[in-house]
Amino acid sequence: MPVMHFRIQWPDGDEANCYSPSLVIGDFFTPGHAYALEDFVERSRQALGIASERVREKYGFACSAALDQLAQIEHDAARFRDRPDATVKVIEFS
């Protein structure tokens, strides 16, 4: 299965490298675009959920790495929930 990495920038300027077991991330995000925090988290839930299900369809089990990545995104996003104007920028895919 083709994997995709995507680099993001949190509202405080910190960057993170993220993982998806599927290219579906490209259907939810555009490199160079900033997303409102909650929109970014919801898009991540959808995309990584689909990616995990694609692994399940192919191999018979969900992708724990996709679910772990989602948990990390949700954890990191919680730091910025008190900022109504918080955005997350998708820097690039690789």
Side-chain angles (χ1 to χ4, degrees), residues 19-20 25 43-52 66 69-70 73:
Y19 168 84
S20 170
I25 291 294
R43 287 170 181 259
S44 296
R45 278 188 197 113
Q46 292 176 19
L48 291 168
I50 291 168
S52 180
Q69 181 62 73
L70 177 57
I73 287 171

Side-chain angles (χ1 to χ4, degrees), residues 15-53:
E15 294 183 5
N17 291 310
C18 301
Y19 168 84
S20 170
S22 167
L23 302 179
V24 71
I25 291 294
D27 295 340
F28 287 83
F29 297 113
T30 301
H33 188 80
Y35 298 85
L37 180 69
E38 291 304 321
D39 184 35
F40 174 79
V41 172
E42 182 55 34
R43 287 170 181 259
S44 296
R45 278 188 197 113
Q46 292 176 19
L48 291 168
I50 291 168
S52 180
E53 284 306 307

Side-chain angles (χ1 to χ4, degrees), residues 2 10 13 21 24 27 29 43 51-52 56 59 65 80-81 83 90:
W10 290 106
V24 71
D27 295 340
F29 297 113
R43 287 170 181 259
S52 180
R56 181 188 309 277
Y59 298 106
F80 307 105
R81 289 235 157 78
R83 298 186 192 180
V90 176

Side-chain angles (χ1 to χ4, degrees), residues 2-21:
V3 302
M4 179 178 278
H5 292 89
F6 56 109
R7 192 160 49 105
I8 62 171
Q9 183 178 49
W10 290 106
D12 63 358
D14 284 351
E15 294 183 5
N17 291 310
C18 301
Y19 168 84
S20 170

